[in-house]
Amino acid sequence: MVPRSKALFRSTTVANEVVVGVAGAGVFGGYHAQKYTRMQGVRVAAVYDIDHGRAGALAARTGAVPYADLNAFLEAVDAVTVATPALSHFEIARRALERGRHVLIEKPIAVRLDHADLLVELAARQGVVAQIGHQERFVFEGFGVLNRACKPRSVVCVRNNPPAGRGDDVSVVLDLMIHDLDLVRRIGLGDIASLRAYGDADSVEAELVFEGGAMASFEASRRAEHRDRRMTLIYDDGIVEIDFTRRAITDTTGAVINGAFDERAKDPVFADPLGYSVACFIEAIRGGAAPKVTASEGRDALEWALLIEAALQVESGVGERLRARA
């Protein structure tokens, strides 16, 4: 039986059915809806978007009902994917959690740390699942990097995209770099001793030095010519390089899983990280287990992202341009 927590489950005809809604009928909302429709015992019942025409188009493809009213949308579902622009993540997730709905929030969890803290507290108080959409985490863990007891002495992260016309309600730090910030936090290099950052809203470089002496550098851009998503981890006994675009790894340490994506094509972690994320969310709802990426972990990634944005404000005034966008 699906745990009810404090959520009111509306399923009356199919045992163990989870009734889901997708908030945000854009590209990522469409991806999430597609994953749900392929799962047994899951029904996409509602699509919410302030653009009713767009909500209707996605609803028509999934057999759902379109909503332009958030309250009515939330009353129709048990669980919600929040795939709206980042600036609206907090308000939609807050209202969903207050009604006892399970939430899968695309990254970032929010754009303010106090808002993230409130979502963490709300999920715990309501006894519902709150999972954050850091899908890159599953590829990272699948390669076995986090199995190493020793820590790298330096990490170099590159995450560059061509212009996509979406996600630009926030800086590239919250849009792209936050993926790598989440991964480096999971490695556990310690507390930050110093931080430098420079760039603008669409292209940022940052360097973090940790109290133990380890370093991590981050490069993220939304105006690159080609998609490039790489991480290099330098250990005392060798180097591990991950290509997230090709889902391939090279390893001179001999201690991390080797190979390329085509060798693991049947593993959902590599073949379909988003599908795996959605499936883990539904499994957490059904089984009561902790989500794969908790709200607290999403909050931690946001904390570092906001530190970098604060450094950018000092260096270039980029923060004022971002506030003007909001």
Side-chain angles (χ1 to χ4, degrees):
M1 187 67 179
V2 181
R4 292 177 178 264
S5 302
K6 294 186 180 180
L8 175 63
F9 280 76
R10 272 146 292 284
S11 176
T12 58
T13 59
V14 181
N16 214 36
E17 182 181 65
V18 180
V19 181
V20 301
V22 175
V27 174
F28 279 96
Y31 291 156
H32 279 260
Q34 181 186 64
K35 304 306 177 185
Y36 285 128
T37 59
R38 295 177 178 176
M39 299 180 64
Q40 290 187 343
V42 176
R43 175 165 57 91
V44 181
V47 175
Y48 165 77
D49 201 290
I50 57 173
D51 183 331
H52 195 61
R54 190 161 63 175
L58 180 56
R61 298 201 304 269
T62 58
V65 175
Y67 290 87
D69 179 83
L70 182 57
N71 289 329
F73 165 78
L74 292 173
E75 287 303 312
V77 299
D78 307 320
V80 178
T81 276
V82 180
T84 54
L87 289 176
S88 62
H89 284 187
F90 166 70
E91 182 61 19
I92 294 173
R94 178 187 67 81
R95 289 169 67 175
L97 289 169
E98 286 177 344
R99 287 164 173 78
R101 308 302 184 252
H102 306 283
V103 293
L104 170 52
I105 311 168
E106 267 298 343
K107 56 78 196 164
I109 182 175
V111 298
R112 287 173 40 176
L113 201 60
D114 61 333
H115 285 175
D117 287 335
L118 179 57
L119 295 181
V120 171
E121 189 275 329
L122 268 174
R125 186 200 313 160
Q126 295 288 71
V128 295
V129 174
Q131 180 172 308
I132 313 305
H134 284 287
Q135 278 77 241
E136 208 79 284
R137 172 92 69 86
F138 306 130
V139 176
F140 196 61
E141 292 175 342
F143 276 130
V145 176
L146 297 183
N147 295 336
R148 294 215 72 186
C150 63
K151 307 296 184 184
R153 63 172 184 264
S154 68
V155 183
V156 179
C157 307
V158 176
R159 190 165 295 264
N160 296 330
N161 271 7
R166 61 177 182 266
D168 59 2
D169 60 324
V170 293
S171 78
V172 72
V173 178
L174 289 174
D175 182 28
L176 296 180
M177 188 183 289
I178 197 166
H179 284 293
D180 296 309
L181 295 171
D182 172 65
L183 299 181
V184 173
R185 287 211 71 140
R186 300 282 68 76
I187 294 171
L189 298 179
D191 294 329
I192 297 173
S194 65
L195 183 158
R196 294 188 304 149
Y198 59 93
D200 56 37
D202 296 309
S203 183
V204 173
E205 294 185 28
E207 181 183 85
L208 277 62
V209 178
F210 299 90
E211 289 185 352
M215 298 176 59
S217 65
F218 302 85
E219 174 188 326
S221 175
R222 293 189 293 217
R223 51 173 178 249
E225 292 186 7
H226 306 287
R227 195 179 188 211
D228 184 14
R229 299 181 172 186
R230 292 175 287 112
M231 179 182 287
T232 302
L233 302 101
I234 302 171
Y235 296 87
D236 289 336
D237 60 347
I239 297 174
V240 174
E241 295 180 284
I242 299 173
D243 185 326
F244 289 104
T245 303
R246 296 189 301 115
R247 299 190 182 103
I249 186 170
T250 58
D251 171 27
T252 66
T253 71
V256 178
I257 298 173
N258 286 289
F261 168 61
D262 57 2
E263 297 173 2
R264 303 180 177 84
K266 295 182 180 179
D267 188 335
V269 170
F270 295 95
D272 185 6
L274 177 58
Y276 180 76
S277 175
V278 170
C280 290
F281 175 56
I282 295 298
E283 184 60 29
I285 293 171
R286 286 188 169 133
K292 286 291 186 179
V293 183
T294 66
S296 292
E297 291 169 340
R299 179 260 183 219
D300 289 345
L302 176 66
E303 180 182 32
W304 280 12
L306 294 178
L307 287 174
I308 290 170
E309 285 202 335
L312 284 172
Q313 290 177 30
V314 171
E315 291 296 322
S316 64
V318 66
E320 295 188 6
R321 293 198 295 277
L322 288 168
R323 285 193 292 273
R325 286 184 182 185

